[in-house]
Amino acid sequence: MREVETRESLNLIIVDDYEALSRAGADWLAEGIRAKPDAVIVAATGTTPMGMYIELAQRRLRGLIEPSRLRLFQLDAYLGLASDDRRALFNWTRRSFIEPLGIVEANVVRLAGDAPDPWEACRAYDAAVRRVGGFDISILGLGPNGHLGFNEPPSAPDAPTRVVELTPESIVSNARYWGGQEQVPRQALTCGMDLLLAARRTLLLVSGAHKHEILHRAINGPQTPEVPASYLQLASNVTVLADRAAWQGL
Ligand code: PGA
């Protein structure tokens, strides 16, 4: 069962569970690919979108979608990890999105967390996004602290691509991927708020009861740097896709 509602600029889609969320997310992106096969896209890692990416990969194998011409930009990166480190977010994107969807490597732009000058890497990334006219499609998860990518609170809506310090919440939340909090890098590079909020279509995926409170603050609360995702209320064409556990009658 699916409920659809529009609240200010946000389209809300509420589905029963994670499987339904993954299918609905795949439907959403499949439509975007059909409309523009070479769309410029930024796509999150994290646990939430993985089911959607698996569903997309299966549809590709069945010949239902042709995502190989998408032009992909990396959303965020830990600072200082070697490019061949399994834990580098780019390599997670490679395993979960680039390879299963057959995206041509020449059409992928990294956010180079291992660059000798990471600030210069951020500027180069910003320039590359602007050269292609910005993002057509943005697929985001919702951080437990309201972050988008690694735009940690506080993040202003005009914050550019930059090097950031991770907040304690993000370190706790990512400890599961690192075998403990102590191992989690303290700094990261993130695609800027300015670029994300200017995307022509955005999908925010939210699953699980532990996201209920922050989802409430993101869509109903004041727009504030303390909840970077709250600025999505001001962006155009944003779809919030949540399961019932996250929604709980919001
Ligand atoms: P998650 O991460 O999908 O693993 O919950 C979301 C995020 O931190 O942005």
Side-chain angles (χ1 to χ4, degrees):
M1 208 176 85
R2 181 191 288 206
E3 287 170 28
V4 179
E5 188 184 318
T6 304
R7 193 175 296 183
E8 293 179 19
S9 66
L10 301 175
N11 310 305
L12 306 171
I13 303 178
I14 318 306
V15 294
D16 282 340
D17 54 22
Y18 182 73
E19 283 68 36
L21 178 121
S22 300
R23 282 194 303 274
D27 291 345
W28 184 92
L29 183 56
E31 191 212 308
I33 295 168
R34 262 191 296 277
K36 188 170 183 188
D38 63 347
V40 176
I41 180 171
V42 62
T45 54
T47 306
T48 316
M50 292 303 129
M52 167 182 165
Y53 297 166
I54 290 168
E55 173 71 25
L56 286 163
Q58 289 168 349
R59 292 186 193 188
R60 173 177 175 247
L61 289 179
R62 297 206 302 272
L64 300 174
I65 56 169
E66 181 40 76
S68 64
R69 290 174 56 208
L70 290 173
R71 290 174 286 166
L72 175 71
F73 283 74
Q74 185 180 349
L75 176 63
D76 45 15
Y78 292 109
L79 179 71
L81 279 196
S83 61
D84 62 353
D85 192 312
R86 260 191 78 73
R87 298 164 303 183
L89 293 179
F90 181 73
N91 290 326
W92 193 359
T93 300
R94 186 198 298 284
R95 293 189 296 274
S96 62
F97 198 88
I98 296 171
E99 288 175 354
L101 298 189
I103 292 173
V104 180
E105 287 269 341
N107 289 342
V108 175
V109 176
R110 281 183 67 212
L111 186 51
D114 59 341
D117 181 346
W119 284 97
E120 179 52 36
C122 291
R123 283 191 290 274
Y125 176 97
D126 267 347
V129 177
R130 291 185 203 289
R131 264 199 307 278
V132 295
F135 299 132
D136 295 306
I137 295 175
S138 167
I139 298 170
L140 299 172
L142 177 63
N145 59 358
H147 73 196
L148 297 176
F150 271 136
N151 286 286
E152 299 282 74
S155 281
D158 60 353
T161 301
R162 66 202 185 287
V163 179
V164 296
E165 302 284 328
L166 297 194
T167 58
E169 281 114 315
S170 287
I171 292 169
V172 169
S173 160
N174 287 315
R176 62 201 148 130
Y177 305 123
W178 288 85
Q181 289 181 36
E182 291 313 309
Q183 278 77 44
V184 181
R186 274 17 191 190
Q187 289 179 297
L189 283 63
T190 185
C191 172
M193 289 290 288
D194 54 353
L195 295 178
L196 293 178
L197 295 175
R200 284 178 272 282
R201 296 180 71 207
T202 298
L203 181 67
L204 181 72
L205 294 161
V206 193
S207 173
H210 64 297
K211 295 283 178 76
H212 173 69
E213 178 62 32
I214 193 64
L215 176 59
H216 176 57
R217 294 178 65 197
I219 67 176
N220 294 330
Q223 290 125 32
T224 164
E226 298 310 320
V227 182
S230 65
Y231 289 113
L232 288 173
Q233 296 172 37
L234 303 174
S236 59
N237 211 344
V238 175
T239 296
V240 177
L241 173 54
D243 61 16
R244 287 199 189 284
W247 186 252
Q248 292 173 36
L250 277 179

